[in-house]
Amino acid sequence: MLQDQCLWNMTAPNIDTYSQLSNDTQASVCIIGGGYTGLSAAIHLAEKGVKVVLLESQAIGNGGSGKSVGLVNAGTWARPDDLNVTLGESVGERLTEALGLAPSLVFDLIKRYDIDAQATQNGNIHMAHNAKGEADVEVRYEQLRRRGANVEILTGSRCHEYCGTKSINKALLDHRAGTINPLAYVRGLAKVATDLGVTIYEHSAVEALQKVEGYWYARTAKARVKSERVIIATNAYTEGEWTQIKKTFYLVYYYQIASEPLTGAAAERILPHKMGAWDTRLALSSFRRDKDDRLLLGTVGGTQLKPKSFYQAWANNVQKSYYPDLPAFNWQYEWCGKFGFTPDHIFRVLEPDEGIITATAYNGRGITTGTMMGKCFADYILSGDRANIPLPFKTLEECKIPLSTLKSTFTEVGLTLYHAGQCLRIIG
């Protein structure tokens, strides 16, 4: 029976829970948000002896960091040359280089601290679903190779083998990439942080953030944290104080469904090298297997106001498209998360007030971008050098997206129509 349950809650190792903030305390840096960015920043600061307090409004991993697909990808959705057009060549190249190294940062943290993140570093595949998609992966390949990235084009029988389907005849394999159990990773980061001396408080939502005599006070329901610097690392799950940060992106939802463990021909054929994958559809489909050989399918779109059968029909249609000769999958778990999105697919870095820094809108690349930005924020705080940040700081006014809530609604409506078209075989 299909359960409304995030798979990662069932397969990630359990770790310690953390108490609620109940007494006033003090730190050099207060971090708000216990996801990839906040925990990476906490670790990299604590490694240098900085006293850090981290406040999480729920439990570690309850936000987007514990619900993602688990693809550890390099770069942004935008192609490198397009980044240069938007940001200028100097900043664009710098960002491309930094994000190209981000998967290594994730896997190095996992190895260095022996995090049980169920990681595979076998690469990920961008699958071209039609002629236009094939042209796109060729362009991406040329631009990445020109910059020295370890990528290759798969065609013919090798492409069929790696993807596990003859419906795809060309794909881009990025050897820098891989997969993880995202909840296991974020829980592991929290354990590393506490071992390094970081104090984590769960169920401690920040209700107000005020500056008094040169110090910032983060107030929760029961107590306050006094600090010199604050990192807001709440992104798409921002609530309470500084909610204007949410105006720098619009929300996009992401749905996932997981099968029972694959056996027989399906297990032998589908992504046999345990790589993650996604296709070039306008509303992409993502694919991967977990440690128990379940197949995970994902796509952009939320579950609001949709019957439970809607995405099951979509998932069954994806199977018929890519694996028409295999028996129908038995779906076991389904869940939905959300992330911040921008029209140019580039995240934002802000310093909304003196002593406060934040990054928003990772556009679905939170594992690598968040881990990288956490380290960048730590390096910036330690050195005072803005060159440690791969993007220039912007103001809230510069980053605000007009009618962002309405844009989220229109995007969701468009995605619903697209998936309905897929189910009706109107859209390929």
Side-chain angles (χ1 to χ4, degrees):
M1 179 181 295
L2 182 61
Q3 301 178 45
D4 185 11
Q5 172 71 263
C6 179
L7 168 67
W8 310 126
N9 290 330
M10 314 303 292
T11 59
N14 292 321
I15 62 163
D16 297 338
T17 56
Y18 305 93
S19 62
Q20 184 180 27
L21 179 69
S22 57
N23 296 299
D24 288 357
T25 188
Q26 185 170 345
S28 295
V29 179
C30 176
I31 298 174
I32 302 171
Y36 306 127
T37 304
L39 289 166
S40 175
I43 288 169
H44 288 98
L45 286 167
E47 286 177 334
K48 301 298 183 181
V50 177
K51 185 177 180 181
V52 177
V53 168
L54 185 147
L55 302 174
E56 165 57 42
S57 64
Q58 299 183 56
I60 296 295
N62 272 25
S65 295
K67 296 183 176 70
S68 79
V69 182
L71 301 184
V72 184
N73 283 326
T76 70
W77 289 110
R79 298 181 297 204
D81 285 3
D82 296 335
L83 287 180
N84 290 2
V85 171
T86 303
L87 299 170
E89 185 170 351
S90 177
V91 176
E93 290 296 330
R94 187 172 159 209
L95 181 60
T96 295
E97 180 181 5
L99 288 171
L101 296 171
S104 291
L105 175 63
V106 171
F107 291 119
D108 287 349
L109 272 173
I110 290 170
K111 292 173 185 175
R112 178 154 46 106
Y113 287 109
D114 195 25
I115 298 172
D116 182 11
Q118 300 160 22
T120 63
Q121 196 174 359
N122 300 331
N124 286 335
I125 307 170
H126 194 183
M127 307 189 310
H129 81 289
N130 60 13
K132 183 178 179 182
E134 290 182 1
D136 179 62
V137 299
E138 284 280 6
V139 171
R140 289 178 185 272
Y141 170 76
E142 185 278 325
Q143 292 184 11
L144 290 168
R145 285 299 298 166
R146 194 178 347 126
R147 293 167 172 85
N150 186 10
V151 296
E152 66 172 301
I153 290 286
L154 303 174
T155 58
S157 60
R158 192 157 182 262
C159 181
H160 299 159
E161 176 204 341
Y162 273 68
C163 298
T165 173
K166 291 185 178 179
S167 300
I168 300 296
N169 295 307
K170 183 173 287 186
L172 177 65
L173 170 57
D174 190 335
H175 291 282
R176 301 170 296 177
T179 66
I180 58 172
N181 177 322
L183 181 58
Y185 176 57
V186 77
R187 285 178 174 175
L189 290 178
K191 178 66 165 58
V192 171
T194 54
D195 288 347
L196 290 170
V198 175
T199 304
I200 295 175
Y201 294 101
E202 292 181 323
H203 306 290
S204 301
V206 174
E207 298 179 349
L209 192 58
Q210 299 173 318
K211 196 170 190 179
V212 179
E213 297 180 351
Y215 289 94
W216 284 102
Y217 289 83
R219 178 172 58 79
T220 70
K222 295 185 176 181
R224 302 183 302 171
V225 177
K226 175 184 177 183
S227 66
E228 300 165 25
R229 305 292 293 269
V230 175
I231 298 173
I232 300 177
T234 47
N235 204 355
Y237 288 78
T238 299
E239 297 176 352
E241 190 77 352
W242 293 100
T243 49
Q244 61 264 46
I245 289 171
K246 293 175 70 173
K247 296 179 181 179
T248 65
F249 56 85
Y250 59 97
L251 288 175
V252 173
Y253 291 84
Y254 202 89
Y255 170 86
Q256 293 184 77
I257 190 168
S259 73
E260 293 180 349
L262 301 179
T263 58
E268 293 173 3
R269 186 194 309 172
I270 300 173
L271 298 171
H273 302 288
K274 303 298 178 69
M275 298 169 176
W278 70 101
D279 62 24
T280 53
R281 283 184 165 87
L282 181 62
L284 65 84
S285 302
S286 63
F287 310 79
R288 63 160 296 185
R289 288 163 68 164
D290 77 343
K291 70 178 183 67
D292 298 318
D293 281 335
R294 294 179 182 86
L295 175 66
L296 281 68
L297 298 183
T299 190
V300 279
T303 56
Q304 307 94 321
L305 303 178
K306 296 185 180 75
K308 196 170 182 66
S309 61
F310 182 86
Y311 280 115
Q312 292 177 52
W314 165 83
N316 291 332
N317 181 71
V318 170
Q319 172 179 352
K320 291 176 184 177
S321 175
Y322 286 115
Y323 318 109
D325 59 321
L326 292 177
F329 299 134
N330 294 316
W331 302 114
Q332 190 172 24
Y333 300 105
E334 66 175 350
W335 68 99
C336 194
K338 60 186 177 182
F339 58 89
F341 209 81
T342 55
D344 57 13
H345 311 306
I346 302 170
F347 65 96
R348 308 294 192 240
V349 183
L350 304 95
E351 200 164 20
D353 205 333
E354 184 180 2
I356 296 178
I357 51 179
T358 187
T360 65
Y362 293 153
N363 289 270
R365 294 289 175 94
I367 294 171
T368 41
T369 310
T371 303
M372 179 194 76
M373 283 309 302
K375 182 179 186 303
C376 290
F377 282 155
D379 291 342
Y380 171 54
I381 288 172
L382 291 164
S383 68
D385 185 358
R386 290 197 174 196
N388 286 297
I389 309 292
L391 284 175
F393 283 105
K394 289 193 174 184
T395 66
L396 279 168
E397 287 302 317
E398 289 176 306
C399 294
K400 282 182 180 177
I401 297 176
L403 304 173
S404 57
T405 301
L406 193 60
K407 195 167 183 63
S408 297
T409 301
F410 283 147
T411 299
E412 181 61 31
V413 170
L415 291 170
T416 300
L417 293 173
Y418 186 95
H419 292 314
Q422 283 184 291
C423 294
L424 295 171
R425 301 298 179 92
I426 299 170
I427 298 173

